[in-house]
Amino acid sequence: MNSVKFFFVFFILTASALFAGTAIRTPQTSGEPHINGPSVIGVTPGNSFLYKIPVSGDSPIKITVTNLPDGVTLRNGSVLEGKISQPGDYRIKVAASDATASVSRILTIKVGNEIALTPPMGWNSWYCFGESVSDEKIRAVADAFVEQNLIDYGWSYVNIDDCWQGERLKEAPYALTGNEKFPDMKALCDYVHSKGLRIGIYHSPWIGTYAGFRGGSSDSETGSDPSYAEPPGRRLQPGQIFSRYPGVHTHNADRVGKYWLFDEDLKAIADWGFDYIKVDWHPNDVPTARRMHNGVRQSGRDIVLSFSNKAFLKDIPELSKYANLWRTSGDITDLWISLSRISRDLPNWVPFTSSGKYNDPDMLQVGNLGKPNTQSETFRPTGLSREEQYFQVSLWVIAAAPLILSCDVSSLDDFTKGLLTNTEVLAVHQSYPVFPPQVRKRSRTTHIITRETENGTAVCVLNYSEQKKKVTVPFHEWNIGSPGKSGNSQKTATVRDLWRQRNLSPDRMTDDGFTVEIAGHGGELFLIR
């Protein structure tokens, strides 16, 4: 009787989860070591770099590296850091072992003119803390990256968005300083780096930023505050001199000023130790973009350059020369209407994707979020359903878009952790070289996008309708699958369901493809080998 009751309860719970479309596809599991992250990292000759080798599995895990180039050391058993003066490809062997198993792979340090050879993975403060971001909170996020093991899967950037800016120095070079919430930027960077993470910051070439803080230019040679700034008694925060959005527009600060102080700010940002900068202005004009690109190149530090807000598609052939990533949309929200609109437009941009050059459809709307444009202190679950979260992550992965979280990292539940730590999904995202995705089908209800990877052809299937749909992916028509690689027939192709980490069963296969059922507003990822 007990066994009958158990089977009945198990059947009901399982069926409910499946029909509701909310079952966790990849629950957290433990096992032998797995080396995550890209097989190639890019650094500039003579510039210092830091790279945490991401390894997941049961602790304790020992990491060993052999054939380290001169100038590079292994810190804390897992963090590569140093500098290499001569251009070239430096191949090192990375091994990870626990008490029962050992794995290894070759990691190539490519010393040349390009960095961010695979799309960045990290976090940004905007949808989490908004205007309340602070040194203390950024340190807490860095701690949470380690405690939640995100760092072991390749999540590596902790980025400050708007609202860090304080006053300018009273004497030349008149560079910006951190405000009262960021008393020591170098110490903050050192702390984040000590965790094996990298850190990013926000800026604007305008006189003011979108949140009303000081930007990278001025109508004054010394960067003194203009007469149209808010008087101190009316400011929401001491540094918020143009008030909350849309104050930057109403105060006439949404423009590049007569005096360019951005390069001096970049030198300070590089000296502090930042590794990533999000630059926000609109429109993203090419002359200003070129100017900032040159400033980053001359800063003496490898800094990922991200352009925001929405760029114009017609400008990307030229604009993409000066950034590692550029926004394809305005700000995203955690609503299906926003995700649907941005994702439907993304296929127009994918031809411009390559290693070191990425379309950015904005941040992942997963986990517990705060409220941007406020001094956010509380969190609530994302407004996207679980299927819609699979939809977003699947599309961002196949598109080689940056994976930038903006949730409360300390409160990740099992579902969100499963979404962010699927090693097979992340391997597609971090595959090198990064080939442009190909839009194979684009209808009102269905998008199918493929991308070649190190290990085969990745396929993303998206369902824009509210109902389940059966979708067929053909091999021969699109010239994908094992033919051309092994010379075998299409029937011998292996189709891997990446979210569930299992091969498709024979009943899903046909003579020339495979058929899958996609939940409403859902997304799936497959790998054909």
Side-chain angles (χ1 to χ4, degrees):
M1 187 68 175
N2 289 338
S3 61
V4 173
K5 286 183 178 179
F6 174 81
F7 177 82
F8 179 77
V9 172
F10 176 82
F11 173 81
I12 293 297
L13 290 176
T14 303
S16 298
L18 290 173
F19 285 115
T22 58
I24 298 176
R25 287 160 169 73
T26 51
Q28 294 299 288
T29 57
S30 59
E32 66 181 30
H34 191 280
I35 302 172
N36 302 302
S39 60
V40 178
I41 59 173
V43 302
T44 302
N47 285 358
S48 62
F49 74 93
L50 175 151
Y51 177 71
K52 166 71 166 67
I53 300 171
V55 177
S56 56
D58 289 339
S59 296
I61 299 173
K62 182 181 179 180
I63 298 174
T64 57
V65 296
T66 54
N67 202 32
L68 273 179
D70 291 341
V72 181
T73 60
L74 184 69
R75 172 169 60 86
N76 293 340
S78 64
V79 180
L80 295 173
E81 62 181 5
K83 60 180 65 174
I84 304 173
S85 59
Q86 294 300 316
D89 291 353
Y90 298 82
R91 291 164 55 88
I92 67 174
K93 182 178 180 180
V94 177
S97 59
D98 61 14
T100 60
S102 178
V103 292
S104 65
R105 67 186 292 190
I106 298 298
L107 174 65
T108 300
I109 304 175
K110 184 177 286 292
V111 184
N113 295 323
E114 296 293 336
I115 62 173
L117 296 179
T118 57
M121 295 172 56
W123 176 93
N124 177 285
S125 64
W126 187 242
Y127 289 92
C128 187
F129 299 126
E131 296 177 4
S132 73
V133 64
S134 68
D135 176 292
E136 180 183 12
K137 291 176 178 177
I138 294 299
R139 290 173 186 252
V141 171
D143 293 343
F145 260 61
V146 177
E147 293 163 1
Q148 296 279 19
N149 301 116
L150 291 183
I151 192 172
D152 299 327
Y153 292 85
W155 298 89
S156 60
Y157 289 97
V158 176
N159 296 345
I160 307 165
D161 207 277
D162 208 343
C163 310
W164 65 268
Q165 304 90 331
E167 296 184 353
R168 290 193 170 276
L169 296 173
K170 301 303 181 184
E171 298 179 353
Y174 308 115
L176 268 176
T177 63
N179 59 34
E180 68 284 353
K181 296 183 299 179
F182 291 92
D184 191 334
M185 282 294 199
K186 187 178 187 310
L188 174 59
C189 290
D190 289 345
Y191 183 83
V192 174
H193 290 156
S194 75
K195 299 289 181 177
L197 296 163
R198 290 170 280 192
I199 184 168
I201 200 167
Y202 170 103
H203 208 9
S204 174
W206 284 348
I207 294 171
T209 70
Y210 277 96
F213 289 76
R214 295 172 181 87
S217 65
S218 176
D219 285 336
S220 164
E221 185 176 6
T222 64
S224 60
D225 294 345
S227 60
Y228 46 83
E230 288 284 326
R234 292 175 53 184
R235 298 175 187 175
L236 298 172
Q237 298 186 55
Q240 204 165 7
I241 66 173
F242 300 116
S243 192
R244 180 175 290 159
Y245 183 84
V248 65
H249 301 307
T250 59
H251 286 78
N252 192 35
D254 55 348
R255 57 187 174 84
V256 176
K258 180 179 178 181
Y259 294 94
W260 183 257
L261 301 172
F262 195 93
D263 288 347
E264 300 302 336
D265 296 341
L266 276 176
K267 291 175 184 176
I269 285 167
D271 288 344
W272 291 334
F274 281 95
D275 310 290
Y276 185 118
I277 185 168
K278 171 183 172 181
V279 186
D280 203 0
W281 87 110
H282 186 76
N284 295 165
D285 64 289
V286 171
T288 303
R290 184 187 303 115
R291 200 173 187 180
M292 292 186 294
H293 166 83
N294 292 337
V296 168
R297 289 283 185 170
Q298 295 166 13
S299 71
R301 188 168 182 84
D302 284 355
I303 300 177
V304 174
L305 181 56
S306 166
F307 288 163
S308 182
N309 208 301
K310 179 178 171 62
F312 293 128
L313 184 60
K314 65 179 178 61
D315 293 334
I316 296 305
E318 185 69 16
L319 193 70
S320 61
K321 298 176 182 178
Y322 305 114
N324 298 108
L325 46 142
W326 50 86
R327 283 279 293 279
T328 66
S329 69
D331 289 357
I332 197 171
T333 66
D334 60 324
L335 298 173
W336 170 249
I337 190 172
S338 174
L339 175 58
S340 174
R341 173 181 53 80
I342 290 173
S343 64
R344 285 184 183 277
D345 184 50
L346 189 57
N348 295 323
W349 301 73
V350 294
F352 301 104
T353 302
S354 65
S355 293
K357 305 290 181 181
Y358 311 107
N359 299 295
D360 178 10
D362 209 5
M363 292 174 245
L364 296 178
Q365 299 294 291
V366 304
N368 294 317
L369 303 173
K371 188 175 181 181
N373 292 307
T374 68
Q375 295 190 36
S376 177
E377 297 285 352
T378 59
F379 308 104
R380 45 89 185 165
T382 176
L384 298 181
S385 70
R386 288 186 171 183
E387 292 300 339
E388 290 162 358
Q389 292 175 68
Y390 279 120
F391 180 108
Q392 185 183 23
V393 177
S394 297
L395 176 56
W396 268 231
V397 165
I398 201 72
L403 297 183
I404 305 297
L405 304 169
S406 197
C407 58
D408 175 35
V409 180
S410 67
S411 64
L412 298 180
D413 58 16
D414 285 345
F415 169 79
T416 309
K417 288 191 73 172
L419 197 68
L420 304 179
T421 59
N422 183 311
T423 56
E424 297 186 26
V425 168
L426 295 179
V428 169
H429 185 256
Q430 291 294 298
S431 177
Y432 177 85
V434 179
F435 295 105
Q438 297 186 61
V439 182
R440 303 290 189 170
K441 181 176 181 179
R442 191 177 182 184
S443 69
R444 184 179 62 83
T445 60
T446 308
H447 284 187
I448 303 177
I449 304 172
T450 68
R451 178 159 64 91
E452 295 303 315
T453 76
E454 294 173 90
N455 300 311
T457 303
V459 181
C460 175
V461 185
L462 305 174
N463 180 7
Y464 283 88
S465 71
E466 296 181 354
Q467 288 75 41
K468 290 181 181 178
K469 287 181 63 67
K470 282 191 175 181
V471 179
T472 297
V473 177
F475 292 143
H476 180 73
E477 179 183 347
W478 295 344
N479 192 29
I480 59 177
S482 57
K485 294 181 181 176
S486 64
N488 297 329
S489 68
Q490 281 95 343
K491 284 185 178 181
T492 65
T494 298
V495 180
R496 182 76 168 172
D497 182 332
L498 297 182
W499 281 119
R500 295 169 181 82
Q501 297 189 349
R502 65 190 183 204
N503 295 340
L504 285 192
S505 59
D507 64 301
R508 300 279 190 91
M509 308 289 288
T510 68
D511 287 345
D512 187 37
F514 64 95
T515 300
V516 293
E517 189 172 71
I518 311 296
H521 292 185
E524 299 286 358
L525 279 172
F526 305 94
L527 187 69
I528 305 174
R529 294 180 287 195

